[in-house]
Every structure is written in structure tokens, then in C-alpha cells.
Amino acid sequence: MSKRLDFLREEISGMKKSGLYNEISVLESKQGPRVRIKGKEVINLASNNYLGFANHPNLVSAARRALDEWGYGSGAVRQICGTMEIHEQLEREISKFKDEEACQVFVSGIAANMGTIQALMGEGDVILSDELNHGSIIDGIRLTKAEKKVYKHLDMADLEKILRETKSARRRLIVTDGVFSMDGDYCPLDSIVELAEKHDALVMVDDAHGDGVLGKDGRGTADHFGVAGRVDVDMGTLSKAFGSLGGFVAGDSVLIDFLHQRARSWLFTTSHPPSVAAASIAAIQTVQKEKHHLKNLWDNAKFLKNGFDGLGFNTGQSKTPITPVIVGESAVAQELSRELFKEGVFAKPIVYPLVAKDKARIRTIVTAAHKKEDLDKVLSAFEKCGRKET
Ligand SMILES: *Cc1c(COP(=O)(O)O)cnc(C)c1O
């Protein structure tokens, strides 16, 4: 027990006192619509496993075949000798899916954001960022010497005002989440692209929650808004709907060529085990071949949202399978989550500082793999516990 670490003990007890300390929930089973936690089987509304692909047999068998063919570890960073044919095959698969010239896969979505923003922007540049952008975008911006300008959430008038004010910058990049993970709303990407073209700025969209969810066969927010090919940096993740692991950037070949030289979070880290690349390829192919997953996801999302609304809960601005149940006070959200767990429903409370102090909520993410009976059980649990709480 080092005395020198006492400052951490103090920090942690402070977090606990103010209710900001989060326990880690440990799964005692595979990821899925039902999981076992603390010895109890619960309906899982906390994952990003939108399509149920984390354990789809196509992904599992692709990973197994790749283990036999390519072995386990990749052994090096991409640029030295960690690029196997299967890594490039995945990049071609994503380029085709996204209808872009090229693609670069990073070890994770956060690595993709950090490496890309850091590589593209520098001194004399301005980054225009939605106020509710994901932490990995914010960290990417911190790695640059560019100036950061935050615009009001989804507010196109505010964005245009800042575009007018920053004309003299060397280069400008508008960066936004496609789908926002706390409210389940999405950005008006068509308007953003138009403003960018009018004011000669670059656009980057982080589609971690849009890929596999929005657009034709899950091609994402750009496809949903009919602006595919007009987004300069189309960033996404393989870790959520696609049930695997990894981040990617799709765009013109010159962009990818440049990032191969300059994206530090790609240059200085070992590539994925080949089994991960193989499973990701299977995911991209499966979402296009087996259309029922996406349909089930949206049917389930609508059913649950209508159910919550029918019970009188406030589901906010959600337009996607992320459905918040906004209860107000942090303590209420935390207590509701505990009560729901007792009823066999696992859904996490989201409290300040992730959301405003008076907008604490239970966030639910339903998946394609949930059954009607799961959703009925969820709604009756919310009805029972919610009545007690609010
Ligand atoms: C989850 C998430 C990421 C990070 O993706 P990982 O592949 O899990 O690292 C990036 N951006 C957004 C908006 C996310 O929700």
C-alpha cells in the first residue's frame, strides 16, 4: 500500500460520496439479449450489440477458420509486418459497403478518431464540434494544435455563424457524431454537408451508433441522409452493431494514403488478430445478406419506444434504437436501475456529467436478438418499478 497513492484514495472516496463512482458489471455468460450477472439471468438492455452479431454463427465460424489459417496473433504493427491479406480484405469489404474508394481499419473506434483528427488538423486550423460529441472526438481534438469551436447541439444556425467567423483559418473541419449515444437522436447530416460545401470546410462524421443501424443495409447516417460520398471522413466502428472490434475511416484514397503515413494511433499499435478481421468481414457480409436482423432491430425499437410512451415515460428526442427513459434526478435513475435488476432487467443509469444534472436517465439499447416476450417483460418491469420511483 503506497502512501504516495493516497491522493487516488481521496479522489475515489469523493466520487463515491457524490454518486459518481461506477461499479463494473461482470457478465458470467456470453454477450446477448439475456446475460447472467451476479448469478441472475437478466434481459440485457445495456449493450451496443444492435444486430446480435457478437455471437452470430457466421462471425464465430469465420473467426475459427481464420485461427486455423492465419494463427492467433498478428505479431507487428500494420506498417512493419502486421498487415496480413485478411486485414486488407476487410478494408476492401468496408470500402465497397460504404461506397468509398478506400478504408483504413484501426484497432478501435477511439483510436480511429484520435489518429485521424490529430493527423488532419494542426496549427492555424479550426475544428467545429457539436457540443454533445463523443469523448473520443474530444480527445482527438485535444491532440491537435488546431483551435476548437463548439457549436450548439444540432444547431445549424450556430454552426453557420461560426463558419462565417472563421473564414481566415487555414483549414476547417466540422466533426459530429452521426447518432448521439445518450439521447439516440442524430445530426442533420445533409444540412451539415451543404454548409460545409458552401463554406469550403471538411466534414467528418463518427458513425459508431449509425453503422449497421441506419441507411440501406446499415450503411450509416450518410446513406440515411442521401449524402454518401460527400462526407470527407466517414468514421465508424466494428465494435458495436457489427459485433466485433475495430474502428475505421472510409473516404478518398488520398485521405487513406495520408493517414497511413501520419495517424499515430495506427502507426504505433499492433494490428488485430486475424480472427478479428475475419469476423468483421463476416459481419459486413451478413448484414447485407440477412436482412431480417436490421428489420428485427427496428421493429423491437419501435415496440419498446411505443411501450415506454404508452406508460407515460419521457423518451426524449430518440430517433434510433437508443431509447432513454429520462427520470430527472441522478439518485432516481440509480435506484430505478437497481429495482429493474431485481425484476430481471439490466439497464444502466446515465447521470451527470454524462448528461445534464436534471436529465438523469436509464438508457436502453434494444437489439435484433431480443424476443417479444423479453420486451413484454421489460415493459412490465418498468411499469412496476417506475410507479414506485416517480
Ligand atoms: C463507442 C464509440 C466510439 C469508440 O468505438 P470503439 O470501437 O468502442 O473504440 C467512438 N465514437 C462513438 C460515438 C462511440 O459511441
Side-chain angles (χ1 to χ4, degrees), residues 48 106-113 133-137 177-181 206-209 235-240 244-248 363:
N48 302 310
F106 293 72
V107 289
S108 66
I110 185 170
N113 276 338
N133 274 345
H134 190 254
S136 58
I137 296 178
D177 282 22
V179 173
F180 290 82
S181 57
D206 171 346
D207 227 1
H209 290 275
M235 176 271 166
T237 180
L238 299 159
S239 324
K240 288 179 173 142
S244 185
L245 176 69
F248 63 83
R363 181 178 63 168

mmCIF file of all heavy atoms in Angstrom, residues 48 106-113 133-137 177-181 206-209 235-240 244-248 363, ligand 1:
data_model
loop_
_atom_site.group_PDB
_atom_site.id
_atom_site.type_symbol
_atom_site.label_atom_id
_atom_site.label_comp_id
_atom_site.label_asym_id
_atom_site.label_seq_id
_atom_site.Cartn_x
_atom_site.Cartn_y
_atom_site.Cartn_z
ATOM 1 N N ASN A 48 -24.156 -2.594 -26.913
ATOM 2 C CA ASN A 48 -24.238 -1.969 -28.235
ATOM 3 C C ASN A 48 -24.325 -3.044 -29.319
ATOM 4 O O ASN A 48 -24.007 -2.793 -30.472
ATOM 5 C CB ASN A 48 -22.987 -1.124 -28.500
ATOM 6 C CG ASN A 48 -22.802 -0.052 -27.459
ATOM 7 O OD1 ASN A 48 -23.729 0.696 -27.172
ATOM 8 N ND2 ASN A 48 -21.627 0.026 -26.878
ATOM 9 N N PHE A 106 -8.573 0.730 -37.874
ATOM 10 C CA PHE A 106 -7.776 0.981 -36.663
ATOM 11 C C PHE A 106 -8.152 -0.083 -35.623
ATOM 12 O O PHE A 106 -9.176 -0.743 -35.768
ATOM 13 C CB PHE A 106 -8.105 2.376 -36.095
ATOM 14 C CG PHE A 106 -7.684 3.536 -36.961
ATOM 15 C CD1 PHE A 106 -8.348 3.830 -38.140
ATOM 16 C CD2 PHE A 106 -6.635 4.357 -36.573
ATOM 17 C CE1 PHE A 106 -7.969 4.914 -38.933
ATOM 18 C CE2 PHE A 106 -6.241 5.448 -37.348
ATOM 19 C CZ PHE A 106 -6.905 5.718 -38.535
ATOM 20 N N VAL A 107 -7.355 -0.179 -34.545
ATOM 21 C CA VAL A 107 -7.671 -1.219 -33.557
ATOM 22 C C VAL A 107 -8.994 -0.961 -32.836
ATOM 23 O O VAL A 107 -9.623 -1.889 -32.342
ATOM 24 C CB VAL A 107 -6.553 -1.431 -32.509
ATOM 25 C CG1 VAL A 107 -5.362 -2.107 -33.152
ATOM 26 C CG2 VAL A 107 -6.161 -0.133 -31.847
ATOM 27 N N SER A 108 -9.431 0.291 -32.785
ATOM 28 C CA SER A 108 -10.703 0.592 -32.128
ATOM 29 C C SER A 108 -11.231 1.905 -32.676
ATOM 30 O O SER A 108 -10.520 2.638 -33.370
ATOM 31 C CB SER A 108 -10.505 0.722 -30.615
ATOM 32 O OG SER A 108 -9.710 1.852 -30.346
ATOM 33 N N GLY A 109 -12.471 2.199 -32.344
ATOM 34 C CA GLY A 109 -13.068 3.458 -32.769
ATOM 35 C C GLY A 109 -12.370 4.654 -32.148
ATOM 36 O O GLY A 109 -12.139 5.666 -32.817
ATOM 37 N N ILE A 110 -12.029 4.526 -30.883
ATOM 38 C CA ILE A 110 -11.361 5.666 -30.239
ATOM 39 C C ILE A 110 -10.008 5.920 -30.905
ATOM 40 O O ILE A 110 -9.613 7.074 -31.137
ATOM 41 C CB ILE A 110 -11.245 5.497 -28.694
ATOM 42 C CG1 ILE A 110 -10.659 6.757 -28.054
ATOM 43 C CG2 ILE A 110 -10.425 4.294 -28.294
ATOM 44 C CD1 ILE A 110 -10.741 6.778 -26.534
ATOM 45 N N ALA A 111 -9.303 4.860 -31.284
ATOM 46 C CA ALA A 111 -8.021 5.029 -31.982
ATOM 47 C C ALA A 111 -8.241 5.696 -33.346
ATOM 48 O O ALA A 111 -7.439 6.529 -33.771
ATOM 49 C CB ALA A 111 -7.328 3.681 -32.150
ATOM 50 N N ALA A 112 -9.326 5.342 -34.024
ATOM 51 C CA ALA A 112 -9.616 5.941 -35.333
ATOM 52 C C ALA A 112 -9.837 7.450 -35.180
ATOM 53 O O ALA A 112 -9.289 8.246 -35.944
ATOM 54 C CB ALA A 112 -10.842 5.278 -35.959
ATOM 55 N N ASN A 113 -10.634 7.835 -34.194
ATOM 56 C CA ASN A 113 -10.884 9.268 -34.004
ATOM 57 C C ASN A 113 -9.626 10.019 -33.617
ATOM 58 O O ASN A 113 -9.327 11.086 -34.162
ATOM 59 C CB ASN A 113 -11.952 9.479 -32.918
ATOM 60 C CG ASN A 113 -13.352 9.371 -33.477
ATOM 61 O OD1 ASN A 113 -13.562 9.540 -34.680
ATOM 62 N ND2 ASN A 113 -14.311 9.080 -32.628
ATOM 63 N N ASN A 133 -20.640 15.895 -28.786
ATOM 64 C CA ASN A 133 -19.807 14.874 -29.415
ATOM 65 C C ASN A 133 -19.179 13.915 -28.396
ATOM 66 O O ASN A 133 -18.922 14.276 -27.245
ATOM 67 C CB ASN A 133 -18.694 15.525 -30.250
ATOM 68 C CG ASN A 133 -19.156 15.857 -31.655
ATOM 69 O OD1 ASN A 133 -20.196 15.367 -32.102
ATOM 70 N ND2 ASN A 133 -18.395 16.682 -32.348
ATOM 71 N N HIS A 134 -18.914 12.713 -28.878
ATOM 72 C CA HIS A 134 -18.339 11.638 -28.061
ATOM 73 C C HIS A 134 -16.941 12.001 -27.523
ATOM 74 O O HIS A 134 -16.189 12.727 -28.172
ATOM 75 C CB HIS A 134 -18.238 10.390 -28.943
ATOM 76 C CG HIS A 134 -17.895 9.139 -28.197
ATOM 77 N ND1 HIS A 134 -16.650 8.550 -28.257
ATOM 78 C CD2 HIS A 134 -18.646 8.352 -27.380
ATOM 79 C CE1 HIS A 134 -16.650 7.449 -27.510
ATOM 80 N NE2 HIS A 134 -17.850 7.302 -26.974
ATOM 81 N N GLY A 135 -16.628 11.447 -26.360
ATOM 82 C CA GLY A 135 -15.343 11.710 -25.717
ATOM 83 C C GLY A 135 -14.137 11.416 -26.594
ATOM 84 O O GLY A 135 -13.104 12.088 -26.494
ATOM 85 N N SER A 136 -14.247 10.437 -27.482
ATOM 86 C CA SER A 136 -13.088 10.089 -28.315
ATOM 87 C C SER A 136 -12.820 11.156 -29.368
ATOM 88 O O SER A 136 -11.681 11.337 -29.801
ATOM 89 C CB SER A 136 -13.292 8.720 -28.983
ATOM 90 O OG SER A 136 -14.454 8.720 -29.768
ATOM 91 N N ILE A 137 -13.860 11.886 -29.774
ATOM 92 C CA ILE A 137 -13.657 13.017 -30.688
ATOM 93 C C ILE A 137 -12.977 14.143 -29.918
ATOM 94 O O ILE A 137 -12.010 14.762 -30.391
ATOM 95 C CB ILE A 137 -15.008 13.513 -31.256
ATOM 96 C CG1 ILE A 137 -15.656 12.425 -32.109
ATOM 97 C CG2 ILE A 137 -14.825 14.811 -32.043
ATOM 98 C CD1 ILE A 137 -17.013 12.819 -32.674
ATOM 99 N N ASP A 177 -20.922 13.461 -34.235
ATOM 100 C CA ASP A 177 -21.466 12.108 -34.155
ATOM 101 C C ASP A 177 -22.564 11.992 -35.206
ATOM 102 O O ASP A 177 -23.288 12.970 -35.452
ATOM 103 C CB ASP A 177 -22.133 11.870 -32.787
ATOM 104 C CG ASP A 177 -21.140 11.597 -31.658
ATOM 105 O OD1 ASP A 177 -19.966 11.984 -31.774
ATOM 106 O OD2 ASP A 177 -21.564 11.003 -30.656
ATOM 107 N N GLY A 178 -22.713 10.835 -35.829
ATOM 108 C CA GLY A 178 -23.886 10.585 -36.667
ATOM 109 C C GLY A 178 -25.099 10.444 -35.752
ATOM 110 O O GLY A 178 -26.021 11.264 -35.753
ATOM 111 N N VAL A 179 -25.066 9.420 -34.919
ATOM 112 C CA VAL A 179 -26.097 9.188 -33.894
ATOM 113 C C VAL A 179 -25.472 9.499 -32.535
ATOM 114 O O VAL A 179 -24.346 9.094 -32.270
ATOM 115 C CB VAL A 179 -26.566 7.717 -33.925
ATOM 116 C CG1 VAL A 179 -27.514 7.423 -32.765
ATOM 117 C CG2 VAL A 179 -27.213 7.387 -35.268
ATOM 118 N N PHE A 180 -26.200 10.229 -31.709
ATOM 119 C CA PHE A 180 -25.686 10.599 -30.384
ATOM 120 C C PHE A 180 -26.124 9.560 -29.360
ATOM 121 O O PHE A 180 -27.314 9.250 -29.255
ATOM 122 C CB PHE A 180 -26.158 12.007 -30.015
ATOM 123 C CG PHE A 180 -25.498 13.062 -30.858
ATOM 124 C CD1 PHE A 180 -25.987 13.360 -32.126
ATOM 125 C CD2 PHE A 180 -24.359 13.714 -30.416
ATOM 126 C CE1 PHE A 180 -25.363 14.301 -32.932
ATOM 127 C CE2 PHE A 180 -23.727 14.661 -31.216
ATOM 128 C CZ PHE A 180 -24.232 14.957 -32.472
ATOM 129 N N SER A 181 -25.129 9.079 -28.600
ATOM 130 C CA SER A 181 -25.374 7.852 -27.835
ATOM 131 C C SER A 181 -26.176 8.057 -26.557
ATOM 132 O O SER A 181 -26.663 7.098 -25.987
ATOM 133 C CB SER A 181 -24.046 7.185 -27.520
ATOM 134 O OG SER A 181 -23.205 8.072 -26.818
ATOM 135 N N ASP A 206 -18.715 10.658 -37.131
ATOM 136 C CA ASP A 206 -18.423 9.476 -36.323
ATOM 137 C C ASP A 206 -19.710 8.671 -36.244
ATOM 138 O O ASP A 206 -20.654 9.046 -35.550
ATOM 139 C CB ASP A 206 -17.958 9.913 -34.931
ATOM 140 C CG ASP A 206 -17.829 8.748 -33.951
ATOM 141 O OD1 ASP A 206 -18.343 7.645 -34.246
ATOM 142 O OD2 ASP A 206 -17.227 8.951 -32.884
ATOM 143 N N ASP A 207 -19.719 7.547 -36.973
ATOM 144 C CA ASP A 207 -20.970 6.795 -37.095
ATOM 145 C C ASP A 207 -20.986 5.515 -36.264
ATOM 146 O O ASP A 207 -21.595 4.518 -36.653
ATOM 147 C CB ASP A 207 -21.213 6.470 -38.575
ATOM 148 C CG ASP A 207 -22.641 6.775 -38.985
ATOM 149 O OD1 ASP A 207 -23.414 7.242 -38.121
ATOM 150 O OD2 ASP A 207 -22.997 6.542 -40.149
ATOM 151 N N ALA A 208 -20.360 5.600 -35.105
ATOM 152 C CA ALA A 208 -20.277 4.415 -34.237
ATOM 153 C C ALA A 208 -21.655 3.803 -33.960
ATOM 154 O O ALA A 208 -21.811 2.584 -33.926
ATOM 155 C CB ALA A 208 -19.586 4.775 -32.926
ATOM 156 N N HIS A 209 -22.663 4.664 -33.768
ATOM 157 C CA HIS A 209 -24.014 4.151 -33.482
ATOM 158 C C HIS A 209 -24.934 4.197 -34.702
ATOM 159 O O HIS A 209 -26.122 3.896 -34.598
ATOM 160 C CB HIS A 209 -24.648 4.931 -32.327
ATOM 161 C CG HIS A 209 -24.008 4.652 -31.003
ATOM 162 N ND1 HIS A 209 -24.359 3.594 -30.210
ATOM 163 C CD2 HIS A 209 -23.013 5.296 -30.348
ATOM 164 C CE1 HIS A 209 -23.626 3.598 -29.107
ATOM 165 N NE2 HIS A 209 -22.796 4.625 -29.168
ATOM 166 N N MET A 235 -16.148 8.003 -40.520
ATOM 167 C CA MET A 235 -15.550 7.151 -39.499
ATOM 168 C C MET A 235 -16.627 6.255 -38.884
ATOM 169 O O MET A 235 -17.767 6.678 -38.713
ATOM 170 C CB MET A 235 -14.907 8.049 -38.429
ATOM 171 C CG MET A 235 -14.314 7.326 -37.241
ATOM 172 S SD MET A 235 -15.565 7.122 -35.969
ATOM 173 C CE MET A 235 -14.795 5.929 -34.895
ATOM 174 N N GLY A 236 -16.263 5.025 -38.607
ATOM 175 C CA GLY A 236 -17.221 4.114 -37.984
ATOM 176 C C GLY A 236 -16.524 3.119 -37.084
ATOM 177 O O GLY A 236 -15.307 3.180 -36.894
ATOM 178 N N THR A 237 -17.304 2.235 -36.521
ATOM 179 C CA THR A 237 -16.717 1.227 -35.658
ATOM 180 C C THR A 237 -17.252 -0.156 -36.001
ATOM 181 O O THR A 237 -18.394 -0.295 -36.452
ATOM 182 C CB THR A 237 -16.942 1.555 -34.162
ATOM 183 O OG1 THR A 237 -16.339 0.537 -33.371
ATOM 184 C CG2 THR A 237 -18.392 1.635 -33.804
ATOM 185 N N LEU A 238 -16.407 -1.151 -35.792
ATOM 186 C CA LEU A 238 -16.818 -2.544 -35.969
ATOM 187 C C LEU A 238 -17.232 -3.134 -34.631
ATOM 188 O O LEU A 238 -17.643 -4.282 -34.549
ATOM 189 C CB LEU A 238 -15.646 -3.349 -36.558
ATOM 190 C CG LEU A 238 -15.187 -2.854 -37.939
ATOM 191 C CD1 LEU A 238 -13.763 -3.309 -38.244
ATOM 192 C CD2 LEU A 238 -16.149 -3.340 -39.013
ATOM 193 N N SER A 239 -17.126 -2.320 -33.582
ATOM 194 C CA SER A 239 -17.288 -2.833 -32.216
ATOM 195 C C SER A 239 -18.735 -2.845 -31.741
ATOM 196 O O SER A 239 -19.030 -3.430 -30.706
ATOM 197 C CB SER A 239 -16.480 -1.967 -31.247
ATOM 198 O OG SER A 239 -15.275 -1.511 -31.809
ATOM 199 N N LYS A 240 -19.611 -2.171 -32.448
ATOM 200 C CA LYS A 240 -20.981 -2.056 -31.950
ATOM 201 C C LYS A 240 -21.918 -2.962 -32.750
ATOM 202 O O LYS A 240 -21.920 -4.157 -32.548
ATOM 203 C CB LYS A 240 -21.382 -0.597 -31.919
ATOM 204 C CG LYS A 240 -20.613 0.071 -30.769
ATOM 205 C CD LYS A 240 -20.837 1.516 -30.552
ATOM 206 C CE LYS A 240 -20.101 1.915 -29.266
ATOM 207 N NZ LYS A 240 -19.490 3.221 -29.336
ATOM 208 N N SER A 244 -17.958 -6.931 -33.476
ATOM 209 C CA SER A 244 -16.558 -7.347 -33.479
ATOM 210 C C SER A 244 -15.719 -6.326 -32.715
ATOM 211 O O SER A 244 -16.113 -5.932 -31.606
ATOM 212 C CB SER A 244 -16.114 -7.496 -34.939
ATOM 213 O OG SER A 244 -14.818 -7.989 -35.033
ATOM 214 N N LEU A 245 -14.626 -5.902 -33.296
ATOM 215 C CA LEU A 245 -13.765 -4.905 -32.655
ATOM 216 C C LEU A 245 -13.007 -4.140 -33.728
ATOM 217 O O LEU A 245 -12.490 -4.738 -34.669
ATOM 218 C CB LEU A 245 -12.754 -5.608 -31.733
ATOM 219 C CG LEU A 245 -11.713 -4.714 -31.063
ATOM 220 C CD1 LEU A 245 -12.349 -3.798 -30.029
ATOM 221 C CD2 LEU A 245 -10.634 -5.566 -30.395
ATOM 222 N N GLY A 246 -12.926 -2.833 -33.572
ATOM 223 C CA GLY A 246 -12.129 -2.045 -34.511
ATOM 224 C C GLY A 246 -12.838 -0.759 -34.898
ATOM 225 O O GLY A 246 -14.057 -0.656 -34.826
ATOM 226 N N GLY A 247 -12.034 0.231 -35.305
ATOM 227 C CA GLY A 247 -12.598 1.458 -35.860
ATOM 228 C C GLY A 247 -12.165 1.547 -37.307
ATOM 229 O O GLY A 247 -11.242 0.857 -37.724
ATOM 230 N N PHE A 248 -12.855 2.374 -38.083
ATOM 231 C CA PHE A 248 -12.392 2.545 -39.454
ATOM 232 C C PHE A 248 -12.685 3.951 -39.950
ATOM 233 O O PHE A 248 -13.546 4.657 -39.416
ATOM 234 C CB PHE A 248 -13.013 1.507 -40.405
ATOM 235 C CG PHE A 248 -14.511 1.580 -40.535
ATOM 236 C CD1 PHE A 248 -15.121 2.473 -41.406
ATOM 237 C CD2 PHE A 248 -15.316 0.726 -39.787
ATOM 238 C CE1 PHE A 248 -16.501 2.529 -41.522
ATOM 239 C CE2 PHE A 248 -16.699 0.781 -39.896
ATOM 240 C CZ PHE A 248 -17.298 1.679 -40.772
ATOM 241 N N ARG A 363 -30.650 4.386 -19.778
ATOM 242 C CA ARG A 363 -30.536 4.263 -21.228
ATOM 243 C C ARG A 363 -30.799 2.818 -21.635
ATOM 244 O O ARG A 363 -30.242 1.903 -21.044
ATOM 245 C CB ARG A 363 -29.149 4.672 -21.703
ATOM 246 C CG ARG A 363 -29.067 4.552 -23.232
ATOM 247 C CD ARG A 363 -27.749 4.983 -23.766
ATOM 248 N NE ARG A 363 -26.678 4.139 -23.286
ATOM 249 C CZ ARG A 363 -25.448 4.173 -23.796
ATOM 250 N NH1 ARG A 363 -25.153 5.024 -24.755
ATOM 251 N NH2 ARG A 363 -24.505 3.384 -23.320
HETATM 252 C C1 LIG B 1 -18.218 3.681 -28.889
HETATM 253 C C2 LIG B 1 -17.899 4.901 -29.618
HETATM 254 C C3 LIG B 1 -16.607 5.103 -30.117
HETATM 255 C C4 LIG B 1 -15.478 4.168 -29.829
HETATM 256 O O1 LIG B 1 -15.563 2.982 -30.548
HETATM 257 P P1 LIG B 1 -14.742 1.713 -30.053
HETATM 258 O O2 LIG B 1 -14.603 0.877 -31.277
HETATM 259 O O3 LIG B 1 -15.552 1.063 -28.975
HETATM 260 O O4 LIG B 1 -13.440 2.220 -29.557
HETATM 261 C C5 LIG B 1 -16.376 6.241 -30.863
HETATM 262 N N1 LIG B 1 -17.360 7.132 -31.099
HETATM 263 C C6 LIG B 1 -18.603 6.963 -30.630
HETATM 264 C C7 LIG B 1 -19.649 7.974 -30.933
HETATM 265 C C8 LIG B 1 -18.915 5.851 -29.869
HETATM 266 O O5 LIG B 1 -20.136 5.696 -29.376
#
